[in-house]
Amino acid sequence: MDRPLGKLQSLMPSLTSSRYFTNSTTSRSDTPSSSRPRAVRRPQKSTALSAVASKRHRATHSSANSTSQSTPGWAQSDILTSISRPTTASGRKSRTTNASSVLGIGEANTIVCAVCEARGVSPSVGIAFVNTSIGEAVLSQICDNQSYVKTLHKIRINWPSRIVCLAQGTKSTSLTPLLRSMFADIPIDETDRSFWSESNGLGYIDRLAFESDIQPIQVAIQGKYYAVSALAAAMSQIEHQFSITFAPHSLRLRYQPSDDTMMIDISAIQSLEIVQNSHSTKSKDSLYGLLNNCATPMGNRMLRSNILQPPTLYESFMAPRYEAVEELTVNQEMFLEIRKTTDQGNVLVNGTPPMANLSQLITIPVISAISQAEQQINQVLMIKSFLEAAKELHVAMNPATAPLLVKIRELCSFEKIAAMLQKITLVLESDVAYTKSALDLRNQRTFAVRSGISGVLDVSRQAYKELTEEIHHYVEQINEKYSVVATLKFDNGRKYWLKLSISDYNRVDPPGLFINVAKKRGAIECQTLDLVKLNMRLSDTSNEVVFRSDAIIEQLIAGLQADASHLFKMCESVGLMDMLASFAQISTTRDYVRPDITNRLALKSARHPILDKILAEQFVPNDYFATEQHCFHIVTGFNMGGKSTYIRAIALLQIMAQVGCFVPAEYASFSVVHNIFTRISLDDNIEAGLSSFSVEMRDMAFILRNVDQQSMVIIDELGRGTSTRDGLAIAIAMAEALIQSKAFVWFATHFLDLARVLTNRPGVLNLHLASDCAISEDGVPHVTMLYKTERGPEREEQDYGINLAKAIGLPQTIIRTAEEFVRASRLRKEANKQNSEAERLQRRRQLILGLHEALKQARVDGAEDALPGYLKQLQHEFVTQMAAIEDGN
């Protein structure tokens, strides 16, 4: 597919200009160039969507502090450490926080994790996560390294409430001690080998998985002995520890390959503010807060899961989501109807999302109680409300043509919903619904089952009705007898109670009539002894109604369990639809564009997504370009010039693109990334006895051990925690290793010598954040930050550190001494500078490689009518630069 050369030419570097965009056909993705979609400019902001955005601007997010590691011997305090950037190196108080706070885990789910390790040089680790709160089990088998990086990351992301390991016996293993040190806040149990049985695991799959899922799961787990054994151990632990079993063929069970998602280490999650804001956990200024316009708990959960583990499969995940989001941004009428139905479907039971209510239908507690009987009736009422909302969603999605939207619509089809609703309406009254009011909910439970099904139940409900009328009549008698205005109230704790003014309370005779008296907000809350007795009679009657209703509800639940598979799929579909609608809303209101997935990273006028929302039009956009020939970017510039913002933005944009959202830019092209690593903070770890430099070296060791060609690395000012000489030497050595890895690296630094030493290395691109420095009449420098990247390192003669010292008013004697030292140092460097033939050869080679890359890209994406002029321009620039090299300039 030909792209107009005019747009492409603006993204390709002029060989002499400050633009640094070049082109490459080097493959970094399994996505063929011919199949990538065309970038689409989004329409202007619409008033309808803007109104929705202003009405629904909310999110749950946060940040805390944690640094990842990979050496088994390190304690937990070595890994979970604060990384917020301080203003000074002294007086800091190190703070340890756990990963659950870093990840902003809001839902109190019960998750049991079983970990089973193979013995060998490169260990295979089987993991099973069973979430009893939402009725889901996920199996994985990971081919990990000796430091268990992938295993630990997966456990951190899910943050279970209990971990089960195989008892070590006579042969010791390093995994269990490492888990105990890293997850000290989580109970870790060791169980006998008899619980880790593959045959038992296969039996659980045959007995509990949805019937439609059994065969696909069996195919996926072939040869996955350790994952299946871990499932057996987790299910045994749930049955013995929590006294919970699952109904047959009612558990949402799936196998999740470990290579289909991006790995973002905990340090990156915190420092990039992916889930939480690093300064305030209540702030919405994080990536999750920006994208979270979801109306349902299922959408919130799916969004959080996706931004923590973005998919890496283009055809299966990214492309269908792009098409769905694009259709939602264009068809605004359908978008608003979907938003309306998802808002109506956001019904909660005690703050629990619908999928969690489904799990209550499939779990079978060993001990029965009145509270469980009440909860079961609540679950059925919740399912009824959810199905009615799903019918409206199906109608709202009728115009949808994108394949993903069509699939969601089919899962919410009238036929499947009607069959389930029919089962419910045969047992429940048609007008019964779930409510949040305690009294209304009790009344709904009491009269939920249709009259005529059970004669004894109808008699009990009549008694309940008569007792309720008696309580109201009793309150009327009190008001008439004592000339007061007592209002009847209800809550789950006290049941019925009275509220009256203080003056009415003081004139009641005898004063001991009221008991359980409490003064709140200028009024008296109380009861009488007779009212307490009536409450007890009414509670006994209500319990009898619930128990008699429960027998009927049990039969209804047994019928609904056959539809559990489809109910779970509907919940996931509604959550996915909600997330896509959230993407469409932010993409339209903020004027985002659809990204291409190609073999290069190229962004035109890209914006930091979080700061773009805060600063709006004041934010200065920048360009990005990376291929295998330009993979290592050295970014220099003034303090406060925007280096950190520039390098962090690209990682956030990469995550947005891979979860299926549009991005803030004029044009965007990404290659698929499988790992994101960051080294940004300057914090020590007092608890572990590590200085800031020790923490920095530990984190860099982790990155260097795990980085590969499909990684993105963000490094901010490496080596500043030690002497300048040692810091520069270590920074150069680590930069060389990162260049060899072929990963996409953005390396912000104040070491100008590092930029000069590596300037002619293949793959290195020098950039700096531009600024203007003017001298006033009184000799005081005024520095203006332009926040715009330009090619080449910062010029040493600008002396921005000294200029900044002048601007803040340091004494002139100190300034003059510093200037003399800088001048002498610069003269020594010039005297030692050699214009060697080796240096000229390296510069020639770099120039030829750049020309070759530009020609290849022009052949792929160039338009024939504009190609001759572009080639002439390239020829002129090449000849000019080659002549400059030969002349020694």
Side-chain angles (χ1 to χ4, degrees):
M1 177 175 61
D2 287 342
R3 190 183 308 281
L5 189 61
K7 168 170 279 195
L8 182 64
Q9 195 168 345
S10 67
L11 296 179
M12 297 171 65
S14 158
L15 295 178
T16 57
S17 70
S18 62
R19 289 200 177 275
Y20 54 86
F21 274 72
T22 58
N23 301 273
S24 171
T25 56
T26 303
S27 176
R28 289 181 52 92
S29 168
D30 57 358
T31 306
S33 174
S34 60
S35 66
R36 60 180 182 264
R38 181 181 297 272
V40 178
R41 181 70 179 178
R42 301 278 28 94
Q44 295 298 317
K45 300 177 184 178
S46 84
T47 55
L49 290 175
S50 300
V52 173
S54 61
K55 176 184 176 184
R56 302 188 32 70
H57 183 65
R58 67 181 187 274
T60 308
H61 49 69
S62 50
S63 163
N65 305 314
S66 167
T67 308
S68 61
Q69 58 93 25
S70 66
T71 299
W74 283 328
Q76 182 190 27
S77 58
D78 296 341
I79 300 99
L80 308 177
T81 171
S82 170
I83 63 167
S84 59
R85 182 172 179 173
T87 55
T88 177
S90 62
R92 295 191 307 272
K93 182 179 180 180
S94 180
R95 180 182 62 206
T96 302
T97 56
N98 61 35
S100 61
S101 62
V102 174
L103 300 175
I105 297 175
E107 296 178 9
N109 291 336
T110 300
I111 303 175
V112 175
C113 169
V115 184
C116 180
E117 175 194 9
R119 306 295 172 85
V121 177
S122 296
S124 291
V125 180
I127 306 180
F129 295 97
V130 182
N131 190 329
T132 62
S133 300
I134 64 173
E136 182 182 52
V138 179
L139 281 68
S140 293
Q141 186 156 312
I142 302 171
C143 184
D144 216 339
N145 56 26
Q146 293 294 324
S147 53
Y148 304 100
V149 174
K150 297 178 182 179
T151 302
L152 298 176
H153 177 263
K154 198 167 192 67
I155 296 175
R156 282 196 199 102
I157 293 298
N158 289 275
W159 201 256
S161 52
R162 183 175 293 271
I163 298 176
V164 183
C165 299
L166 178 64
Q168 296 185 23
T170 57
K171 294 185 179 180
S172 62
T173 174
S174 58
L175 179 57
T176 302
L178 181 59
L179 292 174
R180 292 191 182 279
S181 65
M182 292 191 61
F183 303 101
D185 296 335
I186 300 177
I188 298 179
D189 301 327
E190 294 187 22
T191 59
D192 188 71
R193 184 173 293 277
S194 60
F195 291 99
W196 303 77
S197 168
E198 183 186 25
S199 59
N200 290 346
L202 293 173
Y204 280 117
I205 293 173
D206 292 337
R207 187 168 66 256
L208 300 180
F210 299 147
E211 291 182 342
S212 60
D213 292 345
I214 292 176
Q215 187 173 358
I217 292 172
Q218 288 175 340
V219 173
I221 62 173
Q222 287 181 358
K224 307 297 188 297
Y225 168 84
Y226 300 101
V228 178
S229 300
L231 174 66
M235 296 304 300
S236 299
Q237 184 76 1
I238 290 171
E239 292 174 357
H240 291 85
Q241 186 75 27
F242 300 102
S243 300
I244 292 176
T245 58
F246 291 90
H249 304 299
S250 61
L251 184 64
R252 175 71 165 142
L253 203 152
R254 58 193 175 92
Y255 180 81
Q256 185 181 72
S258 60
D259 298 329
D260 291 350
T261 57
M262 180 198 297
M263 188 183 82
I264 309 174
D265 72 322
I266 297 296
S267 175
I269 291 173
Q270 180 189 0
S271 58
L272 296 176
E273 298 181 309
I274 293 176
V275 178
Q276 291 183 339
N277 182 272
S278 60
H279 301 290
S280 172
T281 58
K282 296 181 180 180
S283 173
K284 298 178 180 179
D285 297 330
S286 66
L287 184 61
Y288 177 71
L290 174 73
L291 300 180
N292 187 13
N293 294 294
C294 297
T296 67
M298 299 91 75
N300 293 337
R301 185 192 300 112
M302 182 162 289
L303 173 61
R304 180 185 170 278
S305 174
N306 272 265
I307 64 174
L308 289 176
Q309 299 182 93
T312 57
L313 301 179
Y314 173 73
E315 296 294 342
S316 302
F317 291 95
M318 287 176 262
R321 291 180 182 183
Y322 290 154
E323 294 177 12
V325 172
E326 185 168 6
E327 181 171 354
L328 290 171
T329 58
V330 173
N331 193 337
Q332 297 182 15
E333 184 178 351
M334 180 177 70
F335 168 81
L336 292 174
E337 286 298 318
I338 290 172
R339 269 301 191 213
K340 181 179 177 181
T341 57
T342 51
D343 280 334
Q344 292 174 350
N346 185 13
V347 187
L348 302 181
V349 176
N350 296 327
T352 308
M355 191 176 291
N357 290 288
L358 292 179
S359 70
Q360 301 297 324
L361 301 182
I362 66 175
T363 56
I364 306 173
V366 176
I367 303 172
S368 180
I370 184 64
S371 60
Q372 293 172 349
E374 291 178 343
Q375 195 67 10
Q376 279 196 326
I377 299 175
N378 290 346
Q379 312 309 328
V380 176
L381 295 179
M382 177 63 202
I383 298 301
K384 182 174 180 289
S385 300
F386 175 73
L387 291 173
E388 290 170 348
K391 285 176 61 178
E392 298 180 9
L393 179 62
H394 177 86
V395 175
M397 296 182 66
N398 272 336
T401 59
L404 185 56
L405 298 182
V406 171
K407 186 175 181 180
I408 294 173
R409 185 181 63 201
E410 291 174 351
L411 286 170
C412 299
S413 64
F414 280 138
E415 294 78 10
K416 296 176 180 178
I417 294 175
M420 288 182 279
L421 279 176
Q422 185 178 9
K423 294 180 182 179
I424 295 175
T425 53
L426 287 174
V427 177
L428 303 185
E429 295 286 354
S430 57
D431 59 345
V432 70
Y434 174 80
T435 62
K436 294 185 179 180
S437 166
L439 179 59
D440 290 342
L441 183 58
R442 186 165 84 162
N443 290 333
Q444 292 289 337
R445 284 197 303 263
T446 302
F447 297 97
V449 177
R450 283 183 176 274
S451 58
I453 293 180
S454 170
V456 179
L457 174 61
D458 292 343
V459 171
S460 299
R461 289 194 292 204
Q462 182 63 31
Y464 176 88
K465 180 179 179 181
E466 292 173 356
L467 276 171
T468 302
E469 292 174 352
E470 185 177 346
I471 290 175
H472 283 81
H473 181 65
Y474 171 73
V475 175
E476 291 174 0
Q477 288 180 334
I478 289 180
N479 289 340
E480 183 178 351
K481 181 176 180 180
Y482 296 103
S483 301
V484 296
V485 182
T487 306
L488 188 63
K489 300 290 184 178
F490 181 88
D491 61 42
N492 287 325
R494 293 173 290 182
K495 308 305 179 186
Y496 282 108
W497 51 275
L498 302 175
K499 182 177 181 180
L500 65 162
S501 65
I502 296 177
S503 58
D504 283 348
Y505 172 77
N506 289 332
R507 69 168 178 262
V508 171
D509 187 26
L513 174 67
F514 297 114
I515 61 175
N516 301 330
V517 180
K519 181 180 178 181
K520 291 183 180 180
R521 299 178 182 176
I524 297 296
E525 298 178 359
C526 59
Q527 292 176 306
T528 68
L529 185 59
D530 290 336
L531 182 59
V532 172
K533 293 178 180 179
L534 287 171
N535 274 333
M536 294 177 63
R537 291 172 55 195
L538 186 62
S539 294
D540 291 339
T541 305
S542 175
N543 291 344
E544 182 181 355
V545 171
V546 168
F547 271 122
R548 296 192 182 279
S549 299
D550 186 53
I552 301 171
I553 295 296
E554 285 279 0
Q555 298 177 4
L556 174 59
I557 290 175
L560 289 175
Q561 284 174 353
D563 300 311
S565 171
H566 189 70
L567 284 170
F568 272 102
K569 291 177 182 177
M570 284 181 59
C571 279
E572 291 177 349
S573 298
V574 171
L576 178 59
M577 181 69 257
D578 194 18
M579 184 181 74
L580 295 174
S582 179
F583 291 166
Q585 179 172 321
I586 189 68
S587 297
T588 304
T589 55
R590 303 301 308 173
D591 199 21
Y592 291 177
V593 298
R594 172 176 174 169
D596 288 349
I597 300 298
T598 64
N599 51 23
R600 66 178 183 272
L601 187 149
L603 302 178
K604 174 72 174 176
S605 297
R607 312 184 295 276
H608 189 292
I610 302 172
L611 293 180
D612 178 52
K613 183 191 75 170
I614 299 172
L615 301 178
E617 300 298 329
Q618 298 178 4
F619 188 82
V620 179
N622 266 300
D623 300 337
Y624 297 83
F625 187 83
T627 66
E628 187 172 341
Q629 281 71 38
H630 292 86
C631 59
F632 191 91
H633 305 76
I634 301 175
V635 185
T636 54
F638 273 62
N639 295 91
M640 301 179 296
K643 299 189 299 298
S644 296
T645 298
Y646 177 75
I647 63 176
R648 294 180 198 211
I650 187 58
L652 294 175
L653 295 173
Q654 181 76 44
I655 294 171
M656 290 178 66
Q658 289 193 213
V659 300
C661 185
F662 292 3
V663 298
E666 291 183 7
Y667 169 78
S669 171
F670 294 89
S671 66
V672 176
V673 168
H674 290 251
N675 306 287
I676 290 182
F677 303 105
T678 64
R679 175 55 215 168
I680 293 177
S681 76
L682 184 61
D683 264 2
D684 52 22
N685 192 329
I686 296 175
E687 292 85 353
L690 295 175
S691 66
S692 59
F693 182 69
S694 299
V695 173
E696 188 175 45
M697 292 301 99
R698 183 200 63 190
D699 292 347
M700 284 305 302
F702 167 77
I703 293 174
L704 293 174
R705 273 193 290 266
N706 296 283
V707 70
D708 58 23
Q709 188 176 2
Q710 294 180 311
S711 301
M712 177 179 287
V713 184
I714 307 298
I715 298 176
D716 195 0
E717 299 188 34
L718 179 67
R720 55 188 169 166
T722 186
S723 67
T724 303
R725 183 190 63 185
D726 292 348
L728 174 61
I730 291 174
I732 292 175
M734 291 185 175
E736 289 279 5
L738 291 172
I739 293 171
Q740 294 175 10
S741 73
K742 301 295 184 181
F744 286 172
V745 182
W746 276 264
F747 195 114
T749 183
H750 284 294
F751 292 140
L752 297 182
D753 286 338
L754 183 144
R756 187 179 67 254
V757 168
L758 299 178
T759 187
N760 292 321
R761 286 281 280 106
V764 174
L765 188 63
N766 267 308
L767 307 171
H768 70 275
L769 274 296
S771 60
D772 284 339
C773 185
I775 306 298
S776 64
E777 294 181 356
D778 54 358
V780 177
H782 290 274
V783 181
T784 302
M785 306 299 177
L786 303 180
Y787 305 110
K788 198 72 176 176
T789 54
E790 294 182 357
R791 190 164 186 177
E794 188 72 31
R795 296 193 303 273
E796 288 189 67
E797 58 270 18
Q798 287 193 344
D799 297 335
Y800 56 83
I802 294 179
N803 287 333
L804 184 60
K806 288 181 181 179
I808 64 176
L810 282 181
Q812 285 298 317
T813 55
I814 296 177
I815 298 295
R816 282 195 296 269
T817 302
E819 287 178 334
E820 291 174 1
F821 179 82
V822 168
R823 192 179 303 110
S825 176
R826 190 171 293 144
L827 290 174
R828 285 195 302 271
K829 287 183 180 180
E830 290 295 331
N832 295 330
K833 187 176 179 180
Q834 297 180 356
N835 187 19
S836 66
E837 180 61 30
E839 182 180 355
R840 286 199 299 271
L841 180 62
Q842 202 167 20
R843 292 175 61 189
R844 290 192 205 105
R845 180 185 179 190
Q846 188 176 26
L847 182 62
I848 293 172
L849 287 174
L851 176 64
H852 179 252
E853 184 181 354
L855 291 173
K856 286 198 301 183
Q857 199 63 53
R859 183 183 63 180
V860 174
D861 294 317
E864 292 184 3
D865 54 347
L867 195 57
Y870 178 65
L871 293 177
K872 289 182 180 179
Q873 178 186 349
L874 284 179
Q875 181 185 30
H876 173 73
E877 294 174 351
F878 179 80
V879 171
T880 303
Q881 287 200 8
M882 187 61 77
I885 292 173
E886 295 300 331
D887 293 340
N889 297 327

